[in-house]
Amino acid sequence: MSFLSGLAEGFIGLFNEGGSVFMGLVTGIIPTLVVLITFVNAIIKLVGEEKVENLAKATTKYRLTRYTIFPILSVFFLTNPMCYSFGRFVKEELKPAFYDAAVSFVHPITGIFPHANAGELFVYLGIANGITTLGLPLGDLAMRYLLVGIVVILMRGIVTEAITKTMIKKRSEA
Amino acid sequence: MSYNAVKITRGSSGWGGPLVIKPTETRNVVLSVTGGGIDPVSQKIADLTGGRVVDGFATSVPDDQIMVAVVDCGGTARCGVYPKKKIFTINLTPVGKSGPLAAFMNEDIYVSGVKELNIELVGDGEVLSSKASEAKAETPKDETYVALSKRTQTKKPNILESIGRGAGKVVGVFYSAGKETIDMIIRNVLPFMAFVSMLIGIILKSGIGNIIADWVAPFSSTIPGLLLISVVAAIPILSPLLGPGAVIAQVVGVLVGVEIGKGNIPPQYALPALFAINPQVGCDFIPVGLSLAEAEPETVEIGVPAILISRLVTGPISVVIAYLASFGLY
């Protein structure tokens, strides 16, 4: 009989642990998240998409801004998945490169602006949870994740643009 | 060319529907946007109705020619994009009304959990033309504020009134921002927290964590290990399958987080790990993302392979950049 009760104890223990982890996530993360996302949503509504579009169009001329400021604006203001619709402001052969840069930013941004991709927070939060269990501050990781994210999307935009153009040229010769 | 109508009912744990659709001369394409070629459901619909099946990953088709889009979406993006474009959508995975575009996913345009047995030929009587299913798309406006602004337009507003209306408008914006946030938390964030807590609870309590520690930890606590993970996940055949809803990236993120918490992985490796587990981000969504950017079919045909190949190069490079940037972190 003690074996069975031990089994039941172990079984329930699994979900008590899960429950306490859930409580930790809800009390630790949700309150700040709700207030922060409400604030950012309000700003996006007040600024309005049209003003953002004109600003965004201006940044598509040069490669340096087309794969940094442009995707940041589209991911911040339109969030995932509508941010890719800003791809309509660039020429055809640049659209894959813009998509690559924008989609590669939808996770680095969630460290500081979770509203941009609330459906996929745990890419960052999963790892950040380990850092908080060690009692270390998160700000440093979140900021470096964002900054490295910007460098990576610039690199990805440039590499993908080069590959796309060579493939287009090869196709036109074939 | 004789076209027939088919009726598509939801699967056992599916949602929405039933849809009754029939191709017309202009709108007869069955667009299969599922990883790994054309899926059996799209093939069967095309065979029964006489429509034309197109692999959404190979090329894209103008929206007005698409009769129905078949996706295998994890619940964040693709399942909402086509209903927003008022195109009939079939989701192979049994996902309900979810994701940021859930407002557009209604029973008369979206059905999920569909298998081949849920598709049957029907007579012409009950055909729904896609225009008839006007998706109730816009988020419900708050009647009090809308009524307020209409009524005061008639006479010349004095100062007090315009201040009042301005304040009302701003408060209305804050209020709707709050509603949108709570809706997003309930629909997207809490479900994932429940799933992740269950996972962490079982891993920690049942000791599976130690097995994972021996398997995952050695890879993600050394730079060559992280580079290996990023190359494997970026393989062009694998990356579209690992991409949907970033579920794999989030689960691996949680696993690595648990190992960092237990000290098996040094904390400064958190930054390179964030990039090592995610070279496949968005690889399942390329054709849909490009269609949102109104790209031509030729651009999609070149864009999909171009990005998959580029990730083989940029995946590992991003890990190196993150490693260099992790000095002085913790």
Side-chain angles (χ1 to χ4, degrees), chain A residues 45 92 99-100 107 137 144, chain B residues 180 278 282 299 311 325 327 330:
Chain A
K45 284 182 190 299
E92 274 306 306
Y99 170 80
D100 200 2
H107 291 135
R144 287 181 190 226
Chain B
E180 215 178 275
N278 212 7
T299 315
R311 286 294 172 79
F327 287 106
Y330 307 134

Side-chain angles (χ1 to χ4, degrees), chain A residues 74-162:
Chain A
S74 56
V75 172
F76 182 90
F77 281 101
L78 278 85
T79 74
N80 188 27
M82 288 321 288
C83 49
Y84 313 118
S85 58
F86 264 16
R88 65 182 186 275
F89 298 140
V90 293
K91 293 198 293 293
E92 274 306 306
E93 75 269 13
L94 303 178
K95 290 184 178 176
F98 164 73
Y99 170 80
D100 200 2
V103 84
S104 303
F105 196 63
V106 290
H107 291 135
I109 192 170
T110 57
I112 297 175
F113 299 109
H115 78 286
N117 194 10
E120 297 168 3
L121 291 180
F122 277 87
V123 176
Y124 168 72
L125 276 183
I127 287 181
N129 253 336
I131 301 289
T132 29
T133 21
L134 291 177
L136 296 167
L138 272 185
D140 206 352
L141 179 65
M143 184 45 83
R144 287 181 190 226
Y145 190 28
L146 188 81
L147 296 176
V148 170
I150 294 171
V151 172
V152 167
I153 65 175
L154 174 61
M155 179 261 297
R156 273 200 179 144
I158 294 170
V159 168
T160 304
E161 181 182 321

Side-chain angles (χ1 to χ4, degrees), chain B residues 67-263:
Chain B
M67 172 181 74
V68 64
V70 179
V71 298
D72 58 352
C73 163
T76 326
R78 267 172 293 166
C79 46
V81 165
Y82 290 100
K84 180 169 172 39
K85 294 180 178 186
K86 295 197 182 54
I87 296 172
F88 283 116
T89 309
I90 295 172
N91 195 348
L92 304 183
T93 40
V95 159
K97 195 177 162 72
S98 79
L101 302 173
F104 305 104
M105 289 158 69
N106 301 308
E107 279 98 342
D108 55 13
I109 196 165
Y110 170 84
V111 64
S112 67
V114 173
K115 297 199 177 33
E116 289 184 65
L117 49 95
N118 302 109
I119 306 165
E120 56 194 338
L121 267 176
V122 284
D124 282 357
E126 319 145 271
V127 174
L128 279 171
S129 82
S130 76
K131 276 288 153 296
S133 63
E134 212 49 48
K136 295 174 281 312
E138 26 47 68
T139 43
K141 283 231 171 10
D142 207 310
E143 294 68 26
T144 44
Y145 294 108
V146 169
L148 180 72
S149 57
K150 268 212 195 57
R151 198 152 30 74
T152 50
Q153 239 116 35
T154 45
K155 53 188 170 32
K156 204 180 97 24
N158 60 36
I159 298 302
L160 207 60
E161 233 176 76
S162 54
I163 293 172
R165 199 148 29 83
K169 188 165 162 301
V170 169
V171 169
V173 161
F174 289 151
Y175 179 51
S176 76
K179 269 198 296 188
E180 215 178 275
T181 306
I182 295 299
D183 193 46
M184 187 196 287
I185 296 280
I186 289 172
R187 208 185 294 280
N188 295 336
V189 179
L190 277 177
F192 227 92
M193 281 188 174
F195 153 56
V196 160
S197 312
M198 174 202 71
L199 208 61
I200 295 179
I202 291 174
I203 289 173
L204 290 185
K205 202 66 176 176
S206 67
I208 301 179
N210 315 347
I211 303 162
I212 292 172
D214 319 334
W215 172 62
V216 167
F219 283 106
S220 31
S221 55
T222 60
I223 284 308
L226 285 176
L227 284 173
L228 183 69
I229 294 177
S230 74
V231 167
V232 166
I235 296 171
I237 310 122
L238 259 182
S239 50
L241 306 178
L242 297 175
V247 173
I248 304 289
Q250 294 186 84
V251 167
V252 175
V254 165
L255 294 182
V256 171
V258 166
E259 293 314 309
I260 291 175
K262 288 203 298 194

